[in-house]
Structures are given as C-alpha cells and as structure tokens.
Amino acid sequence: MDFVAIVMGSKSDYKVMDECVEILKKFDVSYEVVIASAHRSPNRTKEYVKQAEEKGAKVFIAAAGMAAHLAGAVSAMTTKPVIGVPLKGGALDGLDSLLSTVQMPSGVPVATVALGKAGAINSAYLAMQILALSNAELEGKLKEDRVMKAKNVELDSADIEVIL
C-alpha cells in the first residue's frame, strides 16, 4: 500500500503537523505518523525509515524545529522523496530550522517548504503531487481542488469588489 510517512522530532510538533494530516485525510491519502528524533533517537529514526519503505512509503515528510536535522537524516537513509517542514521555536524563532532543513549537501536532497502551518499544509500537497504522478484519481482530486480555490478567490472578491 502506498502511503506518506510523517516523522516528527517531538510530540509538540504535532500541533502544527496536524494541519498536514487533515489535508491528507481530506484527499483520502494513507499516512503514518511517528515521533523519531535525529538527535535523541537516531536508531529509532533509522529503523522507522527502513520499515516504512518496506511497507510501501512513497514519500517522507519530516518536521522538526531548532537544529532540524531530521529531514536530512531521513534523506540520508532513503532514495524516496523527503519533504522537510521547518518549525518555529528556539532563540532564532525558526530561522535555524529553515536553514538546517534547506542547506543539504549535494546528492542528499530535501524539498523544503515554508515554516510552520503553511509548510505543514504545503508538505501534504507536495506529497500528494508526487503520488499523483502514478495515481490518476488523486491527480483529478488535486485538479478539482485548484479549480475550487480559484472559484473561492472570485467569490471572496465579489464580496468586496469596487470596480469603476
């Protein structure tokens, strides 16, 4: 079974990553959620990535704050796409997370999305776009979602438009 594997560095990260989970649920995309830290539980992280691949994970989403090495650690262990979600926190309020997630050495890529809630949501959409490369039904759902988003912009504008 194809699914998205969501890995978080700590339980507090779920407050933000729940946004990702809700999007995947909305599109009926299978997922797993685990806590595994690159620093505090590297063996757990390694074992989870291996097990998730064996079960059919096609995309990994890794969310972490502060030093935020989780996405890079996951990427080092798999050739599947890895999406990093930097989370706010610490003395630098997320800048350290962003830089730790986006600055990867060549050959160990991590697709990095925005900090926080927007990143959590976009990580779900990016994972689904990757899955949709081989899933026409999911591709159709994503296209319909885009059409609805465009219609919502028009409806929002109609509520306040003033055109001369």
Side-chain angles (χ1 to χ4, degrees), residues 59-70:
V59 181
F60 287 85
I61 297 174
M66 298 180 71
H69 294 121
L70 183 58

Side-chain angles (χ1 to χ4, degrees), residues 47-105:
E47 284 302 311
Y48 176 70
V49 171
K50 179 182 173 187
Q51 291 170 3
E53 280 188 323
E54 290 171 358
K55 291 191 297 186
K58 297 299 182 203
V59 181
F60 287 85
I61 297 174
M66 298 180 71
H69 294 121
L70 183 58
V74 171
S75 185
M77 298 172 204
T78 185
T79 57
K80 304 292 188 214
V82 176
I83 303 166
V85 182
L87 299 176
K88 291 184 178 188
L92 300 178
D93 199 31
L95 180 59
D96 50 347
S97 303
L98 176 62
L99 295 175
S100 295
T101 305
V102 78
Q103 293 293 341
M104 292 300 300

Side-chain angles (χ1 to χ4, degrees), residues 16-92:
V16 174
M17 293 309 294
D18 182 51
E19 300 285 344
C20 172
V21 168
E22 290 304 313
I23 297 294
L24 295 173
K25 283 181 185 177
K26 175 182 169 185
F27 284 84
D28 296 318
V29 172
S30 298
Y31 64 90
E32 287 186 351
V33 177
V34 299
I35 297 170
S37 170
H39 301 111
R40 293 183 299 267
S41 64
N43 291 332
R44 176 179 169 77
T45 303
K46 183 177 180 178
E47 284 302 311
Y48 176 70
V49 171
K50 179 182 173 187
Q51 291 170 3
E53 280 188 323
E54 290 171 358
K55 291 191 297 186
K58 297 299 182 203
V59 181
F60 287 85
I61 297 174
M66 298 180 71
H69 294 121
L70 183 58
V74 171
S75 185
M77 298 172 204
T78 185
T79 57
K80 304 292 188 214
V82 176
I83 303 166
V85 182
L87 299 176
K88 291 184 178 188
L92 300 178

